[in-house]
Structures are given as C-alpha cells and as structure tokens.
Amino acid sequence: MKWEEKLSHWLGTQIEVHIEDQAGLDPVAPPKKMKLEKIRISDDRDYMQMYMSEHQFLAIPLRGEEHTSLISSEHGTVLSSSDIAAQLVYKVHFGA
C-alpha cells in the first residue's frame, strides 16, 4: 500500500494514538493526541514515521496486510498495526 499517498489528506489534522501492550507487563497508556505534521516511510520500508514536529515522530511497524490495516467507517478512519515481537498493538484514529 502507498501509505504516504493514502494518508496525505490527514496532514495538518489531529490524530489520536493508542498503544496497547498485549503482554500485560506495562500499565495502559492514555491515548495521545497530536497534530500530524509529516508522514515518511523508513528506508527499509519496515516503519511508517508519523511526525508530530520537525524531529519527533512515532514509528509504526508495517508488517504486511495480515498485521497492518487501514479501515474507514462512519465512525472514522483507523490505522491498526500489530508488532508481534514487541507484543504491541498500535491504533491511530484520524480526524480525532
């Protein structure tokens, strides 16, 4: 999927990021709201970097269609990605 192209219309808008610890070792973190400044795919194409400032970004793993999806519904658009090795699930709500 061409992530930068698919998500480019969300640039400059508020997003809400949820990171869930599937191992249950860490406390549940509250959702983080941020303005999406830039999207970049890492050189190895393994991560989508979602920038909240010029230098600060969240790296979301891109692990193929079985682990990474973008779903739009009447409730909004959600990017969901599972990092099996780290036992984390990332959920980014666009238009939050």
Side-chain angles (χ1 to χ4, degrees), residues 81-94:
S81 182
S82 298
D83 185 338
I84 303 302
Q87 295 186 1
L88 297 173
V89 174
Y90 299 81
K91 291 184 181 170
V92 181
H93 298 261
F94 295 91

Side-chain angles (χ1 to χ4, degrees), residues 4 12 17-18 29-30 33 42-43 47 65 71 76 81-83 90 95:
E4 292 126 320
V17 179
H18 300 255
K33 287 194 177 198
S42 64
D43 292 337
Y47 293 90
E65 291 181 21
I71 298 172
S81 182
S82 298
D83 185 338
Y90 299 81

Side-chain angles (χ1 to χ4, degrees), residues 31-93:
K32 169 91 171 144
K33 287 194 177 198
M34 61 187 234
K35 184 176 178 184
L36 182 60
E37 297 290 340
K38 179 171 80 171
I39 299 168
R40 180 182 174 279
I41 303 301
S42 64
D43 292 337
D44 59 11
R45 308 210 49 85
D46 285 343
Y47 293 90
M48 179 184 333
Q49 298 167 335
M50 302 182 103
Y51 285 79
M52 57 193 95
S53 71
E54 181 66 28
H55 302 288
Q56 191 176 24
F57 64 88
L58 173 67
I60 297 179
L62 299 174
R63 302 288 189 239
E65 291 181 21
E66 65 276 2
H67 298 291
T68 307
S69 64
L70 183 67
I71 298 172
S72 294
S73 71
E74 66 274 0
H75 303 291
T77 300
V78 178
L79 169 71
S80 180
S81 182
S82 298
D83 185 338
I84 303 302
Q87 295 186 1
L88 297 173
V89 174
Y90 299 81
K91 291 184 181 170
V92 181
H93 298 261

